[in-house]
Amino acid sequence: MCIRDRNKDYLLPGVAAIFLAVISPIYWLGMSQWIGDYYVLGQNMMSLGFSDILFASILLLTIYIYLNLKNILNEQLNFNNIDLLVWIYVAINILWMSTLLLDIASTVLPENIVTQTKDTFLNIGLSMSIGAIVILGIIDLLIGILLLTKSTELPTLLKIFAIMSVVQGVIGITVVFAATLIFIFPITMIILAVFFLRKPESIEIV
Protein backbone atom coordinates (compact mmCIF):
# COMPACT_ATOMS: atom_id res chain seq x y z
CA MET A 1 0.00 0.00 0.00
CA CYS A 2 1.33 3.46 -0.81
CA ILE A 3 0.26 7.09 -0.70
CA ARG A 4 0.26 9.15 -3.88
CA ASP A 5 -0.23 12.89 -4.27
CA ARG A 6 -3.35 13.46 -6.34
CA ASN A 7 -1.87 16.53 -8.02
CA LYS A 8 1.49 17.86 -9.02
CA ASP A 9 3.26 20.37 -6.85
CA TYR A 10 2.21 23.99 -7.37
CA LEU A 11 5.06 25.47 -5.34
CA LEU A 12 6.50 27.51 -8.22
CA PRO A 13 3.18 29.13 -9.23
CA GLY A 14 2.61 29.96 -5.55
CA VAL A 15 6.01 31.61 -5.24
CA ALA A 16 5.46 33.39 -8.57
CA ALA A 17 2.15 34.80 -7.30
CA ILE A 18 3.83 36.14 -4.16
CA PHE A 19 6.64 37.68 -6.21
CA LEU A 20 4.10 39.26 -8.56
CA ALA A 21 2.19 40.69 -5.58
CA VAL A 22 5.41 42.44 -4.56
CA ILE A 23 6.74 43.80 -7.86
CA SER A 24 3.39 44.82 -9.39
CA PRO A 25 2.66 47.74 -7.01
CA ILE A 26 6.31 48.80 -7.16
CA TYR A 27 6.08 49.16 -10.94
CA TRP A 28 2.66 50.79 -11.12
CA LEU A 29 3.30 53.20 -8.26
CA GLY A 30 6.48 54.23 -10.04
CA MET A 31 4.59 54.73 -13.30
CA SER A 32 1.76 56.67 -11.63
CA GLN A 33 4.04 59.60 -10.88
CA TRP A 34 4.62 60.06 -14.63
CA ILE A 35 1.01 59.82 -15.79
CA GLY A 36 0.39 63.55 -15.43
CA ASP A 37 3.65 64.51 -17.14
CA TYR A 38 3.29 63.83 -20.87
CA TYR A 39 6.94 64.64 -21.60
CA VAL A 40 8.40 62.36 -18.91
CA LEU A 41 5.96 59.59 -19.79
CA GLY A 42 7.00 59.90 -23.42
CA GLN A 43 10.68 59.74 -22.51
CA ASN A 44 10.06 56.59 -20.49
CA MET A 45 8.05 54.89 -23.23
CA MET A 46 10.59 55.81 -25.88
CA SER A 47 13.54 54.15 -24.15
CA LEU A 48 14.50 50.78 -22.71
CA GLY A 49 15.21 50.53 -18.99
CA PHE A 50 14.61 48.68 -15.75
CA SER A 51 10.92 49.65 -15.78
CA ASP A 52 10.52 47.75 -19.06
CA ILE A 53 12.04 44.64 -17.47
CA LEU A 54 9.56 44.95 -14.59
CA PHE A 55 6.67 45.44 -17.02
CA ALA A 56 7.58 42.35 -19.03
CA SER A 57 8.13 40.35 -15.84
CA ILE A 58 4.69 41.31 -14.50
CA LEU A 59 2.92 40.22 -17.68
CA LEU A 60 4.92 36.99 -18.05
CA LEU A 61 4.30 36.05 -14.42
CA THR A 62 0.59 36.85 -14.81
CA ILE A 63 0.42 34.55 -17.84
CA TYR A 64 2.25 31.78 -15.96
CA ILE A 65 0.00 32.09 -12.90
CA TYR A 66 -3.29 32.08 -14.84
CA LEU A 67 -2.23 29.10 -16.94
CA ASN A 68 -1.47 27.23 -13.72
CA LEU A 69 -4.81 28.32 -12.29
CA LYS A 70 -6.45 26.75 -15.34
CA ASN A 71 -4.41 23.58 -14.84
CA ILE A 72 -5.16 23.21 -11.14
CA LEU A 73 -8.88 23.75 -11.75
CA ASN A 74 -8.80 21.08 -14.47
CA GLU A 75 -6.85 18.60 -12.36
CA GLN A 76 -8.32 19.06 -8.90
CA LEU A 77 -11.90 20.14 -9.56
CA ASN A 78 -12.49 18.91 -13.12
CA PHE A 79 -13.50 22.51 -13.85
CA ASN A 80 -12.75 23.76 -17.37
CA ASN A 81 -15.40 26.49 -17.77
CA ILE A 82 -12.81 29.28 -17.77
CA ASP A 83 -10.22 27.63 -20.03
CA LEU A 84 -11.09 29.72 -23.10
CA LEU A 85 -11.15 32.92 -21.04
CA VAL A 86 -7.69 32.14 -19.66
CA TRP A 87 -6.32 31.64 -23.18
CA ILE A 88 -7.82 34.99 -24.25
CA TYR A 89 -6.33 36.50 -21.07
CA VAL A 90 -2.92 35.17 -22.11
CA ALA A 91 -3.29 36.52 -25.66
CA ILE A 92 -4.22 40.02 -24.44
CA ASN A 93 -1.23 40.10 -22.09
CA ILE A 94 1.06 39.10 -24.95
CA LEU A 95 -0.40 41.87 -27.12
CA TRP A 96 0.08 44.34 -24.26
CA MET A 97 3.67 43.24 -23.87
CA SER A 98 4.19 43.87 -27.59
CA THR A 99 4.10 47.60 -26.80
CA LEU A 100 7.72 47.10 -25.76
CA LEU A 101 8.46 46.85 -29.47
CA LEU A 102 7.79 50.60 -29.59
CA ASP A 103 10.55 51.11 -27.01
CA ILE A 104 12.89 48.91 -29.02
CA ALA A 105 12.04 50.72 -32.25
CA SER A 106 12.70 54.07 -30.58
CA THR A 107 16.11 52.79 -29.49
CA VAL A 108 17.26 51.45 -32.86
CA LEU A 109 15.67 53.91 -35.29
CA PRO A 110 17.46 57.14 -36.32
CA GLU A 111 16.83 60.03 -33.95
CA ASN A 112 15.06 62.17 -36.56
CA ILE A 113 12.51 59.41 -37.23
CA VAL A 114 11.98 58.88 -33.50
CA THR A 115 11.36 62.60 -33.03
CA GLN A 116 8.78 62.63 -35.83
CA THR A 117 6.97 59.50 -34.63
CA LYS A 118 7.22 60.05 -30.86
CA ASP A 119 3.64 61.26 -30.39
CA THR A 120 2.30 58.48 -32.61
CA PHE A 121 4.22 55.82 -30.68
CA LEU A 122 3.06 57.27 -27.36
CA ASN A 123 -0.59 57.36 -28.46
CA ILE A 124 -0.38 53.77 -29.73
CA GLY A 125 1.20 52.63 -26.45
CA LEU A 126 -1.37 54.40 -24.29
CA SER A 127 -4.31 53.22 -26.43
CA MET A 128 -3.13 49.61 -26.29
CA SER A 129 -2.60 49.83 -22.54
CA ILE A 130 -6.06 51.26 -21.88
CA GLY A 131 -7.61 48.73 -24.25
CA ALA A 132 -5.80 45.88 -22.51
CA ILE A 133 -6.93 47.03 -19.07
CA VAL A 134 -10.57 47.19 -20.22
CA ILE A 135 -10.53 43.80 -21.98
CA LEU A 136 -8.70 42.13 -19.09
CA GLY A 137 -11.30 43.69 -16.80
CA ILE A 138 -14.09 42.08 -18.80
CA ILE A 139 -12.30 38.73 -18.67
CA ASP A 140 -11.70 39.05 -14.91
CA LEU A 141 -15.40 39.77 -14.44
CA LEU A 142 -16.44 36.74 -16.51
CA ILE A 143 -13.95 34.45 -14.74
CA GLY A 144 -15.28 35.57 -11.36
CA ILE A 145 -18.89 35.07 -12.41
CA LEU A 146 -18.25 31.60 -13.87
CA LEU A 147 -16.42 30.52 -10.72
CA LEU A 148 -19.19 31.86 -8.49
CA THR A 149 -21.81 29.90 -10.42
CA LYS A 150 -20.03 26.78 -9.13
CA SER A 151 -19.29 28.29 -5.70
CA THR A 152 -20.86 25.39 -3.79
CA GLU A 153 -18.27 23.07 -5.34
CA LEU A 154 -15.27 25.35 -4.85
CA PRO A 155 -12.84 25.66 -1.91
CA THR A 156 -13.21 28.81 0.18
CA LEU A 157 -10.01 30.32 -1.22
CA LEU A 158 -11.34 30.04 -4.78
CA LYS A 159 -14.63 31.65 -3.74
CA ILE A 160 -12.66 34.58 -2.34
CA PHE A 161 -10.56 34.72 -5.53
CA ALA A 162 -13.75 34.71 -7.61
CA ILE A 163 -15.12 37.69 -5.67
CA MET A 164 -11.81 39.54 -6.05
CA SER A 165 -11.84 38.75 -9.76
CA VAL A 166 -15.30 40.30 -10.11
CA VAL A 167 -14.12 43.41 -8.22
CA GLN A 168 -11.02 43.66 -10.43
CA GLY A 169 -13.15 43.29 -13.52
CA VAL A 170 -15.61 46.02 -12.59
CA ILE A 171 -12.80 48.40 -11.66
CA GLY A 172 -10.80 47.62 -14.81
CA ILE A 173 -13.79 48.23 -17.06
CA THR A 174 -14.39 51.67 -15.55
CA VAL A 175 -10.79 52.73 -16.38
CA VAL A 176 -11.28 55.83 -14.19
CA PHE A 177 -10.82 53.80 -11.01
CA ALA A 178 -8.26 51.40 -12.51
CA ALA A 179 -5.52 52.95 -10.38
CA THR A 180 -6.99 51.16 -7.33
CA LEU A 181 -5.95 47.88 -8.96
CA ILE A 182 -2.44 48.76 -7.81
CA PHE A 183 -3.55 47.64 -4.35
CA ILE A 184 -6.30 45.13 -5.22
CA PHE A 185 -4.34 43.00 -7.70
CA PRO A 186 -1.60 42.06 -5.17
CA ILE A 187 -4.28 40.90 -2.71
CA THR A 188 -5.76 38.68 -5.42
CA MET A 189 -2.32 37.23 -6.14
CA ILE A 190 -1.72 36.48 -2.45
CA ILE A 191 -5.04 34.61 -2.34
CA LEU A 192 -3.97 32.56 -5.37
CA ALA A 193 -0.55 31.96 -3.80
CA VAL A 194 -2.16 30.51 -0.67
CA PHE A 195 -4.38 28.34 -2.88
CA PHE A 196 -1.39 27.06 -4.84
CA LEU A 197 0.72 26.46 -1.73
CA ARG A 198 -1.91 24.71 0.35
CA LYS A 199 -1.21 21.08 1.26
CA PRO A 200 -2.13 18.89 -1.73
CA GLU A 201 -4.74 16.24 -1.23
CA SER A 202 -3.61 12.64 -1.33
CA ILE A 203 -5.28 9.38 -2.18
CA GLU A 204 -4.46 5.92 -0.97
CA ILE A 205 -3.53 3.21 -3.47
CA VAL A 206 -3.69 -0.46 -2.52
Side-chain angles (χ1 to χ4, degrees):
M1 183 174 66
C2 64
I3 300 295
R4 177 173 70 85
D5 282 342
R6 192 169 81 181
N7 304 102
K8 68 180 182 180
D9 189 2
Y10 281 89
L11 173 63
L12 288 180
V15 172
I18 293 172
F19 186 58
L20 181 56
V22 173
I23 67 172
S24 178
I26 292 175
Y27 172 79
W28 289 113
L29 284 172
M31 286 295 293
S32 64
Q33 64 183 336
W34 298 332
I35 297 299
D37 193 324
Y38 189 82
Y39 174 77
V40 176
L41 183 62
Q43 290 297 108
N44 178 68
M45 292 187 69
M46 296 296 101
S47 61
L48 288 172
F50 182 67
S51 62
D52 297 304
I53 296 174
L54 273 182
F55 177 66
S57 299
I58 288 169
L59 297 186
L60 288 172
L61 284 170
T62 301
I63 289 171
Y64 175 69
I65 290 163
Y66 273 80
L67 285 176
N68 275 280
L69 172 63
K70 177 186 74 67
N71 292 341
I72 201 170
L73 288 173
N74 292 169
E75 294 171 4
Q76 294 191 358
L77 300 171
N78 195 29
F79 185 89
N80 56 15
N81 296 31
I82 68 168
D83 285 12
L84 178 59
L85 288 173
V86 169
W87 285 117
I88 297 173
Y89 199 91
V90 168
I92 297 302
N93 274 284
I94 291 173
L95 285 174
W96 195 2
M97 189 162 53
S98 71
T99 57
L100 290 175
L101 293 175
L102 298 174
D103 298 58
I104 295 172
S106 298
T107 302
V108 300
L109 289 175
E111 186 176 348
N112 63 319
I113 295 179
V114 173
T115 301
Q116 294 172 5
T117 58
K118 179 180 177 180
D119 288 343
T120 301
F121 279 12
L122 183 56
N123 289 331
I124 291 173
L126 288 175
S127 298
M128 289 184 68
S129 295
I130 293 172
I133 291 171
V134 172
I135 296 173
L136 291 175
I138 294 171
I139 297 173
D140 274 329
L141 179 60
L142 293 175
I143 286 176
I145 291 173
L146 287 175
L147 287 173
L148 288 174
T149 59
K150 299 288 185 178
S151 60
T152 56
E153 305 169 18
L154 298 179
T156 301
L157 283 171
L158 274 182
K159 293 177 185 177
I160 298 173
F161 166 76
I163 293 170
M164 293 299 296
S165 188
V166 169
V167 172
Q168 281 187 184
V170 172
I171 292 174
I173 293 170
T174 64
V175 177
V176 177
F177 302 106
T180 59
L181 291 175
I182 294 174
F183 309 102
I184 294 174
F185 181 72
I187 297 173
T188 306
M189 288 301 101
I190 292 298
I191 293 168
L192 272 185
V194 175
F195 178 65
F196 284 134
L197 296 173
R198 79 200 192 291
K199 185 178 180 180
E201 297 180 25
S202 298
I203 61 174
E204 190 176 86
I205 299 178
V206 180

